[in-house]
Amino acid sequence: MVATDIPAGTADNNRAETTVTSFRIIEALKSREYAGVTELAEELDLAKGTVHKHLNTLRELDYVIKEDHEYRLSLSFLGLGTAVRSRLPVYQEARQPLEKLTAATGEVASLMIPEHGYGIYVLRTYEGDHPDVNVNEGERLPLHATAGGKAILSYTPADERERILDVRGLPRLTENTITDRDALIDELRLVRDRRTSYDRAEYRENWHCIAQPITNEENRAIAAVTVSGPAERMEQKDSATDLASLVGSTVNSLQNRFYADY
Amino acid sequence: MVATDIPAGTADNNRAETTVTSFRIIEALKSREYAGVTELAEELDLAKGTVHKHLNTLRELDYVIKEDHEYRLSLSFLGLGTAVRSRLPVYQEARQPLEKLTAATGEVASLMIPEHGYGIYVLRTYEGDHPDVNVNEGERLPLHATAGGKAILSYTPADERERILDVRGLPRLTENTITDRDALIDELRLVRDRRTSYDRAEYRENWHCIAQPITNEENRAIAAVTVSGPAERMEQKDSATDLASLVGSTVNSLQNRFYADY
């Protein structure tokens, strides 16, 4: 629910540098299946002895696995991640409505949560054997280039929204990405009028997405519900079934469940 | 796939103590929604300044969120966890077979992976609004007290199995938990004969589970497929539909998909 807890940076003398190094190694391991000490030391410009010491420590803590002289992250991170996710009230309620949305549309339905100035899909439902799901639950997405992100930004107070755009920028991801801040603000105003946002190949080529925000008592977005799929198929479906109203029904049902707890 | 990468412990002079402290704080935050500096300092017997420094560092790295003077873990851990999970070949193939198993049984179906001497559900499928799912994906479970764990242990080489039982022990969780090592070994021999294992309220009161292992070319368990539910309902279903053969079909289908890749 925190779009804007973006720390300004810490003075170096109040930073646990060893922890920073450990997480640099963890993030390097995230992007590969296995890695050896030499490879990590070269990539991160660290001494081999330092990398070895960190890997040993993380292994002792059960966060890293050693197999045939190579290292990988362990599933302990999955346990941390699902513990965080399971405490989000909106997540608890979202599974069944999202499964219904997938059944109604035949496409990937997702729940996006704002955090740290990014959008994160915490739940994705889909059907079939080889779904077109290229973004894992938990991955961070840019708010300005995604339908869920634009739905969230349009229901975020202006000062917070400005801070997010200052810090995260508007990087170009496809030729359709909105990279001009005034153009984005105009678009967000439109989104607020119709409560529905679209990503027309702004994040990924040939990929469309439609979203609506879930808002709280202060009319602030705490999440967004999205449906996404291949551009052509999404356009056909939208003219056949009005995807916006299907997403809208899901949002209404979730909003009712969520606020029924209060 | 690594049941037994259990490090023996590292000499203190080759341990990154700061990283150990950071993960002590992370694990304390895992078990609560929010925590303040004072509360964490007391629980972990650390100076408040130390806790503050670690929290600041983790926040700067985007792994911790600050909200109203309190701290929680961020969803970045979910991104690390799903990255690890998505690289497990058997996970990639498991979703559709597990969804079919849930549809056939009406109960929670799970894929368990051995790691660090524990069993971890990496995927759980279920139907309905308030599922009886009390264990998150990514949580570690004791191998000796779960059907999935016993299926895995019975297809783990004897020397590795001994090492796991030495290090993890056989803690009692219910009055039905097998806590005697010889009794467990006898049970694992039976599991190997019939390829099916049962947990009859050994992990949790009034909760039953049935499992079969997925084995590799060396006849070693790389995972287990399980179905679990309330004791009475599971017994009724088992006499009506033979749950073991439904689990068996899922395992066969997965084993065929998995080894088709080789």
Side-chain angles (χ1 to χ4, degrees):
Chain A
M1 281 201 242
V2 181
T4 48
D5 179 38
I6 307 171
T10 306
D12 274 2
N13 60 2
N14 198 27
R15 211 163 78 145
E17 291 300 337
T18 307
T19 299
V20 175
T21 303
S22 280
F23 274 95
R24 284 182 67 210
I25 293 171
I26 288 166
E27 286 173 8
L29 286 172
K30 180 190 178 189
S31 62
R32 52 189 90 202
E33 192 166 357
Y34 287 95
V37 171
T38 307
E39 182 184 351
L40 289 167
E42 277 170 16
E43 178 179 319
L44 301 171
D45 199 18
L46 292 168
K48 277 165 72 170
T50 303
V51 171
H52 192 73
K53 178 174 175 167
H54 280 267
L55 289 171
N56 259 355
T57 305
L58 292 167
R59 186 173 163 226
E60 196 185 339
L61 294 168
D62 285 353
Y63 285 97
V64 157
I65 297 273
K66 184 177 181 184
E67 221 176 297
D68 298 334
H69 307 291
E70 293 214 300
Y71 297 83
R72 68 166 172 87
L73 298 184
S74 85
L75 289 163
S76 298
F77 288 109
L78 187 61
L80 288 175
T82 60
V84 178
R85 175 172 74 174
S86 68
R87 287 203 201 89
L88 301 171
V90 68
Y91 169 77
Q92 297 286 3
E93 305 289 347
R95 182 176 291 274
Q96 202 180 46
L98 254 66
E99 281 174 354
K100 280 187 191 165
L101 184 56
T102 284
T105 61
E107 301 292 350
V108 182
S110 307
L111 180 73
M112 180 185 270
I113 299 278
E115 200 184 79
H116 270 149
Y118 293 104
I120 296 161
Y121 290 138
V122 294
L123 179 64
R124 314 205 77 187
T125 62
Y126 48 89
E127 289 173 336
D129 197 15
H130 291 290
D132 302 303
V133 176
N134 301 52
V135 178
N136 279 335
E137 289 170 350
E139 280 302 305
R140 295 164 172 178
L141 300 179
L143 292 171
H144 74 289
T146 53
K150 289 193 281 183
I152 287 165
L153 282 175
S154 67
Y155 286 82
T156 296
D159 55 335
E160 290 187 32
R161 191 179 64 209
E162 294 302 307
R163 175 143 163 68
I164 290 170
L165 299 177
D166 286 347
V167 177
R168 301 297 174 213
L170 287 84
R172 177 180 297 285
L173 297 156
T174 70
E175 62 179 22
N176 290 351
T177 309
I178 301 173
T179 56
D180 177 77
R181 196 190 282 218
D182 289 339
L184 181 66
I185 302 296
D186 285 348
E187 164 110 354
L188 296 180
R189 210 170 287 129
L190 273 177
V191 171
R192 229 181 132 98
D193 288 345
R194 65 191 178 204
R195 219 184 161 86
T196 303
S197 60
Y198 296 88
D199 151 20
R200 295 195 173 90
E202 294 159 49
Y203 175 65
R204 196 178 134 201
E205 299 298 344
N206 290 316
W207 199 255
H208 280 198
C209 185
I210 177 169
Q212 285 192 19
I214 298 174
T215 50
N216 67 7
E217 301 92 332
E218 295 151 0
N219 205 24
R220 178 196 174 105
I222 56 158
V225 170
T226 79
V227 170
S228 57
E232 205 180 330
R233 203 165 72 197
M234 285 287 284
E235 279 181 359
Q236 285 164 359
K237 286 192 179 173
D238 201 21
S239 55
T241 61
D242 189 5
L243 291 175
S245 68
L246 290 174
V247 173
S249 312
T250 307
V251 165
N252 287 343
S253 132
L254 257 169
Q255 202 135 353
N256 290 340
R257 284 163 183 247
F258 188 56
Y259 288 109
D261 291 346
Y262 282 78
Chain B
M1 277 200 242
V2 181
T4 47
D5 180 37
I6 307 171
T10 306
D12 273 3
N13 60 2
N14 197 26
R15 213 165 77 147
E17 291 299 337
T18 307
T19 299
V20 175
T21 303
S22 280
F23 275 95
R24 285 183 66 210
I25 292 171
I26 288 166
E27 286 174 8
L29 286 171
K30 181 191 178 187
S31 62
R32 52 189 91 202
E33 192 166 359
Y34 286 97
V37 172
T38 308
E39 182 185 351
L40 289 169
E42 278 170 16
E43 178 179 317
L44 301 172
D45 198 19
L46 292 167
K48 277 164 72 169
T50 304
V51 171
H52 192 74
K53 179 174 177 166
H54 280 267
L55 288 170
N56 258 356
T57 306
L58 291 167
R59 186 172 163 228
E60 196 185 338
L61 296 168
D62 285 353
Y63 285 98
V64 157
I65 297 273
K66 184 178 181 182
E67 222 175 298
D68 299 333
H69 306 292
E70 294 212 300
Y71 297 83
R72 68 165 173 87
L73 297 184
S74 85
L75 288 163
S76 298
F77 288 109
L78 187 62
L80 289 176
T82 59
V84 179
R85 176 172 72 173
S86 69
R87 286 203 202 90
L88 301 171
V90 68
Y91 169 77
Q92 297 286 4
E93 304 290 346
R95 181 176 294 272
Q96 202 181 44
L98 254 65
E99 282 173 354
K100 280 188 191 165
L101 184 56
T102 284
T105 61
E107 303 292 348
V108 182
S110 307
L111 180 72
M112 179 184 272
I113 299 278
E115 199 183 80
H116 269 150
Y118 294 104
I120 296 160
Y121 289 137
V122 293
L123 179 63
R124 313 204 77 185
T125 63
Y126 48 90
E127 289 174 337
D129 199 13
H130 292 289
D132 302 302
V133 177
N134 302 51
V135 178
N136 279 335
E137 289 169 350
E139 282 300 306
R140 294 166 173 178
L141 299 180
L143 292 172
H144 74 290
T146 53
K150 289 192 282 182
I152 287 165
L153 282 176
S154 67
Y155 288 82
T156 296
D159 55 335
E160 290 187 32
R161 191 178 64 210
E162 294 302 306
R163 175 142 162 69
I164 291 170
L165 299 178
D166 286 346
V167 177
R168 300 297 174 212
L170 287 85
R172 177 180 296 286
L173 297 156
T174 71
E175 61 178 24
N176 290 351
T177 309
I178 301 172
T179 55
D180 176 78
R181 195 190 282 217
D182 289 338
L184 181 66
I185 302 296
D186 284 347
E187 164 110 354
L188 295 180
R189 210 169 287 129
L190 272 177
V191 170
R192 227 180 134 98
D193 287 345
R194 65 192 178 203
R195 220 184 161 88
T196 303
S197 61
Y198 295 88
D199 152 21
R200 296 197 171 90
E202 293 158 50
Y203 175 65
R204 196 177 135 203
E205 299 297 344
N206 290 317
W207 199 255
H208 280 197
C209 185
I210 177 170
Q212 287 192 19
I214 299 174
T215 50
N216 67 6
E217 300 92 332
E218 295 152 358
N219 205 24
R220 178 195 175 106
I222 56 158
V225 171
T226 79
V227 170
S228 58
E232 204 180 333
R233 204 164 73 196
M234 285 287 283
E235 279 181 0
Q236 284 163 0
K237 286 190 179 173
D238 200 21
S239 55
T241 62
D242 188 5
L243 291 175
S245 69
L246 290 174
V247 173
S249 310
T250 308
V251 164
N252 287 342
S253 133
L254 257 168
Q255 201 135 356
N256 290 339
R257 284 164 182 246
F258 189 56
Y259 289 110
D261 290 348
Y262 283 76

